[in-house]
C-alpha cells in the first residue's frame, strides 16, 4: 500500500515541485493551498505525513497543525518555514511536528527526511535542519 503524503503550501511552485519529487518516490501525493482544504484532505484520505508550510494566509501552520493532530494524532507533520522563527518552531514541535525545514530547503535532505519518517515507522524522533 502506498504511503500518502499531503503538501500544504500557498506557493504553487513549491507544491508542484514537491508533488513531482514525492510522486516519483512512489508516494500517493495530495496538495492544498490553504488550511481549510488541507483539513478536508486530512479528514478524507488520512495522510501518513503532512509537509506543512508555517506561513499560510488565513489559517497559519500552527493552527493547521493543531487541527491535524485533533483529527488524527498519528499523522506525522514536517514543518516548512521561510522564517527563522524559533518560538513558532518550538511551538510546532511541542504540538507534535516531528521536524522542520527552513526554506529554501535542500530537496535531497527533505526527500531523505520524508523517506526516513515514512519507511521507518519505529523511528518516532528525527532531528530537522
Amino acid at each position: 500500500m502506498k504511503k500518502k503524503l499531503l503538501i500544504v503550501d500557498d506557493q504553487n511552485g513549491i507544491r508542484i515541485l514537491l508533488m513531482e519529487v514525492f510522486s516519483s518516490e512512489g508516494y500517493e501525493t495530495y496538495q492544498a493551498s490553504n488550511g481549510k482544504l488541507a483539513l478536508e484532505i486530512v479528514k478524507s484520505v488520512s495522510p501518513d505525513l503532512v509537509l506543512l508550510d508555517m506561513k499560510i494566509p488565513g489559517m497559519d501552520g500552527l493552527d493547521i497543525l493543531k487541527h491535524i493532530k485533533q483529527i488524527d494524532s498519528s499523522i506525522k507533520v514536517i514543518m516548512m518555514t521561510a522564517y527563522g522563527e524559533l518560538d513558532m518552531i518550538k511551538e510546532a514541535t511541542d504540538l507534535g511536528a516531528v521536524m522542520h525545514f527552513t526554506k529554501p530547503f535542500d530537496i535531497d535532505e527533505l526527500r531523505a527526511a520524508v523517506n526516513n519518517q515514512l519507511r521507518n515507522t519505529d523511528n518516532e524522533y528525527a532531528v530537522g535542519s
Side-chain angles (χ1 to χ4, degrees):
M1 203 168 92
K2 278 187 172 185
K3 295 279 188 176
K4 294 177 280 198
L5 180 71
L6 170 59
I7 297 152
V8 186
D9 199 304
D10 58 318
Q11 294 178 311
N12 189 45
I14 289 177
R15 288 197 317 274
I16 290 170
L17 169 72
L18 294 175
M19 291 280 290
E20 285 177 6
V21 167
F22 292 110
S23 293
S24 71
E25 288 285 308
Y27 298 116
E28 197 174 305
T29 54
Y30 302 85
Q31 62 171 315
S33 58
N34 61 59
K36 184 176 181 296
L37 184 56
L39 295 174
E40 286 171 11
I41 294 170
V42 167
K43 287 176 188 164
S44 63
V45 304
S46 191
D48 298 289
L49 188 141
V50 179
L51 286 173
L52 177 57
D53 189 26
M54 192 79 83
K55 288 286 188 188
I56 295 179
M59 188 187 300
D60 76 11
L62 292 175
D63 288 334
I64 298 168
L65 175 60
K66 286 176 196 166
H67 288 294
I68 290 170
K69 289 299 186 176
Q70 285 169 351
I71 294 165
D72 182 349
S73 63
S74 73
I75 295 173
K76 294 182 178 186
V77 180
I78 294 177
M79 302 302 293
M80 301 180 294
T81 178
Y83 310 89
E85 294 164 339
L86 292 173
D87 54 337
M88 284 183 84
I89 291 165
K90 181 179 180 333
E91 188 175 346
T93 305
D94 292 345
L95 290 169
V98 290
M99 60 195 308
H100 75 276
F101 280 85
T102 305
K103 293 178 183 175
F105 44 75
D106 180 315
I107 195 68
D108 292 322
E109 283 181 19
L110 185 61
R111 178 191 290 134
V114 167
N115 287 338
N116 185 39
Q117 288 295 325
L118 291 178
R119 295 192 177 140
N120 302 336
T121 49
D122 299 335
N123 180 8
E124 287 296 314
Y125 300 97
V127 178
S129 60

